[in-house]
Amino acid sequence: MKKLNKLRWVVAIAAAFFVGLNQQVSAATINNDYALSTSEGSSLRTSNNVIIAHATGTYAPAINNAIFEKRTWYSNDAYVQYIVGDGGKIYRVGAEGYQAWGAGSWANANAPVQIELAQTYSSSEFKQDYITYVNLLRSSAIKYGIPTDVDSSAWCGVKSHLWITNHVWGDHVDPYGYLASHGITKAQFAHDVKYGFSSSGNNVNPTPTPTPKPSTPTDKKAVHVTYALHQKGKKWLNPVKDFGSGSNGFAGVPNSVHDMLYIKVNHGSTKYRVHTKEDGWLPWIKKADKNDTVNGVAGVKGHTIDGVQIVYTTPKGETYQQAYYRSQTTQRANYLGTCADNGTVSGYDSWAGMLGEPLDRLQIHINDNSKY
């Protein structure tokens, strides 16, 4: 992202932020201690088309993120208007209505407000953070005349960073992976932003409990997936069937780097692709032949894989199944979030991996529900 000329602009300081929800009002104090000064940040005004929902991607207090963005806004080319966390607190960094640097040039130019949600392992703290986050997203949209619909097909509304990645530019998939880790689905998030929470923390229009549908006979087939990784600079590793525990339960070698991948199923069909540090996302592959390094495997020999995406297609008339998969990197101790090819699983729905970190192991299975 290109640095912008730094001209003086006015930062609106507010002691309290009021959230109107169906004639109910909730107040959340804004901390301005880390707000950019009148000589910092962008002087460019925004068009008011979208409000962008982020998650920080690291488990750290919101105040730490605010301090970091205040200190490094110029050197990192990165900051947003608000950071929510620490038990429902709001920290201001950038000024509303002026471009922040949070999601690429189009998003920055069209979002008068971008909001980061700090990540915590605490369920009780998350609940307070989430209510404040949702209400701030919703009230910001209302304030600027923006629809409160989340990730609709329209080029206006409340947009996740994942939506910006899928429709405009980038590689971020937040905030869904983090929300899912606390049991919040995409559908629930969209509903909550649409209706908001009252001052008591109750949903203004709770999601109705659906009437159970009569069970219908299913035609579920047992689908097995076989896959293998090629160790960079060495050889193809032994193929793995589905997944399990121990060293035979995944493809790859811990703390090693891999450059090619093949995947095949015994029923239905699949396509897959990889992201490498050198090339970005490579074309989709539909075959599985380790001897055909052009059309039979994903990857480029000698180039480091750091992301994988898989889609399984269920034959017509059968019980719908999909690929569930997860990965680990050389720089992390545990598996990253579970992925599903239709984006409904609680985890990192879009793809497996962490860009910039070599993928060192991969697990896959095909089913109508996740077995991880």
Side-chain angles (χ1 to χ4, degrees):
M1 194 181 315
K2 205 173 180 182
K3 288 189 178 73
L4 303 172
N5 291 330
K6 299 180 295 301
L7 304 176
R8 294 180 63 84
W9 43 272
V10 177
V11 179
I13 303 299
F17 187 83
F18 294 94
V19 182
L21 298 170
N22 295 348
Q23 298 183 347
Q24 299 187 32
V25 177
S26 169
T29 301
I30 292 180
N31 184 313
N32 293 291
D33 293 346
Y34 312 103
L36 299 181
S37 72
T38 56
S39 61
E40 297 174 317
S42 172
S43 62
L44 297 179
R45 297 300 299 252
T46 63
S47 297
N48 301 329
N49 293 312
V50 296
I51 304 296
I52 301 178
H54 300 269
T56 59
T58 59
Y59 285 84
I63 190 171
N64 289 11
N65 285 278
I67 292 170
F68 180 79
E69 289 193 7
K70 165 70 171 176
R71 186 178 73 247
T72 66
W73 71 271
Y74 184 83
S75 58
N76 278 354
D77 287 337
Y79 68 93
V80 296
Q81 280 83 7
Y82 295 111
I83 301 170
V84 173
D86 301 345
K89 296 178 181 178
I90 302 172
Y91 299 90
R92 184 196 303 274
V93 180
E96 285 192 19
Y98 290 86
Q99 293 189 23
W101 298 341
S105 58
W106 182 90
N108 297 339
N110 284 275
V113 176
Q114 299 191 47
I115 304 169
E116 291 271 14
L117 177 60
Q119 299 185 189
T120 176
Y121 292 107
S122 168
S123 297
S124 59
E125 186 172 299
F126 170 79
K127 181 178 180 181
Q128 298 174 73
D129 295 344
Y130 180 68
I131 290 171
T132 301
Y133 179 61
V134 163
N135 283 350
L136 184 55
L137 287 166
R138 183 175 187 275
S139 62
S140 297
I142 293 171
K143 177 179 179 179
Y144 288 97
I146 295 170
T148 56
D149 301 313
V150 175
D151 287 355
S152 70
S153 59
W155 287 76
C156 58
V158 177
K159 303 298 184 185
S160 67
H161 203 162
L162 173 61
W163 190 95
I164 300 298
T165 292
N166 289 341
H167 294 82
V168 187
W169 171 89
D171 56 20
H172 288 242
V173 297
D174 50 304
Y176 292 119
Y178 172 61
L179 294 180
S181 72
H182 285 282
I184 302 296
T185 64
K186 290 181 178 180
Q188 183 66 54
F189 178 57
H191 174 275
D192 293 341
V193 172
K194 184 75 173 177
Y195 297 104
F197 292 92
S198 68
S199 58
S200 64
N202 294 320
N203 201 292
V204 173
N205 187 0
T207 305
T209 302
T211 303
K213 294 181 179 180
S215 60
T216 55
T218 60
D219 183 18
K220 181 180 177 182
K221 305 295 185 182
V223 182
H224 298 290
V225 56
T226 301
Y227 52 105
L229 282 164
H230 182 276
Q231 195 171 9
K232 185 176 177 179
K234 296 185 179 180
K235 63 179 182 178
W236 280 101
L237 302 170
N238 292 331
V240 175
K241 184 178 180 180
D242 301 326
F243 80 100
S245 59
S247 60
N248 293 321
F250 58 83
V253 175
N255 301 311
S256 185
V257 178
H258 304 87
D259 54 6
M260 291 185 287
L261 165 73
Y262 74 80
I263 302 171
K264 61 183 177 180
V265 292
N266 69 324
H267 184 74
S269 62
T270 187
K271 66 176 184 178
Y272 55 100
R273 63 177 181 168
V274 299
H275 184 284
T276 72
K277 294 174 69 174
E278 296 83 358
D279 311 295
W281 285 108
L282 295 172
W284 290 99
I285 299 296
K286 296 183 178 180
K287 299 197 310 179
D289 181 359
K290 66 181 181 181
N291 295 314
D292 181 356
T293 57
V294 176
N295 299 307
V297 303
V300 176
K301 192 171 184 179
H303 291 195
T304 300
I305 294 174
D306 57 2
V308 174
Q309 192 170 23
I310 308 168
V311 175
Y312 173 76
T313 300
T314 304
K316 186 176 180 179
E318 296 182 9
T319 300
Y320 177 75
Q321 299 187 80
Q322 60 180 318
Y324 290 92
Y325 55 107
R326 62 182 185 174
S327 67
Q328 193 164 326
T329 82
T330 58
Q331 296 172 228
R332 297 172 191 263
N334 299 303
Y335 279 101
L336 300 169
T338 300
C339 306
D341 59 38
N342 75 344
T344 59
V345 75
S346 294
Y348 298 97
D349 295 333
S350 186
W351 47 269
M354 190 66 66
L355 300 189
E357 299 181 12
L359 182 147
D360 69 349
R361 65 200 83 178
L362 178 68
Q363 289 187 324
I364 312 171
H365 71 282
I366 310 295
N367 214 307
D368 59 354
N369 64 93
S370 175
K371 301 300 181 183
Y372 298 125

